[in-house]
Amino acid sequence: QVQLVESGGGLVQAGESLTLSCAASGRTFSSYAMGWFRQAPGKEREFVAGISRGGGQTYYVDSVKGRFTISRDNAKNTVYLQMSGLKPEDTAAYFCGARGGYSIGGYYREAEYDYWGQGTQVTVSS
């Protein structure tokens, strides 16, 4: 069983940076691939970034490539999302998820994740 708690969200101006954290409970954090999704009001939850168990492979939605960086520290049971050059369209609730699957395509699909955090709000003003 894995429990996930996101933190680090807030209100920032366009062009600024913010780093989100997702802290996981349990002894088997390194057994899970991790991902970040986001959801704006009235919209579907959208894949943002994913990272493999050892951190060697990362995946991003095109709209955040070059601006966001996902990383993990297995010793701290934590995954991060560093966001720079934030835009108003990045405004959303951000969720981290954990998955036990091994398919690359599974990173992008909400239904493939086994555990979810409660979300943290990121608001970017223009």
Side-chain angles (χ1 to χ4, degrees):
Q1 301 279 28
V2 177
Q3 292 179 301
L4 306 172
V5 179
E6 302 96 334
S7 62
L11 174 64
V12 298
Q13 292 183 285
E16 295 184 340
S17 300
L18 200 63
T19 297
L20 307 182
S21 298
C22 176
S25 66
R27 300 178 179 179
T28 58
F29 176 69
S30 62
S31 297
Y32 295 89
M34 301 294 295
W36 286 94
F37 285 68
R38 64 188 181 186
Q39 186 169 26
K43 296 185 178 180
E44 296 293 317
R45 191 169 296 189
E46 173 193 32
F47 169 81
V48 177
I51 189 166
S52 61
R53 290 158 176 80
Q57 300 294 327
T58 57
Y59 310 88
Y60 300 94
V61 67
D62 286 347
S63 60
V64 310
K65 287 182 178 177
R67 299 190 298 121
F68 290 13
T69 300
I70 187 171
S71 61
R72 67 190 294 164
D73 187 339
N74 287 346
K76 296 182 178 180
N77 277 21
T78 303
V79 63
Y80 305 93
L81 185 67
Q82 297 172 263
M83 305 181 292
S84 63
L86 284 163
K87 304 175 180 180
E89 48 263 50
D90 295 317
T91 295
Y94 283 71
F95 300 85
C96 67
R99 60 181 286 253
Y102 284 86
S103 69
I104 293 175
Y107 281 104
Y108 303 89
R109 299 192 287 270
E110 180 180 359
E112 294 291 332
Y113 288 76
D114 303 306
Y115 304 97
W116 291 97
Q118 83 292 343
T120 186
Q121 179 68 34
V122 173
T123 302
V124 184
S125 64
S126 60

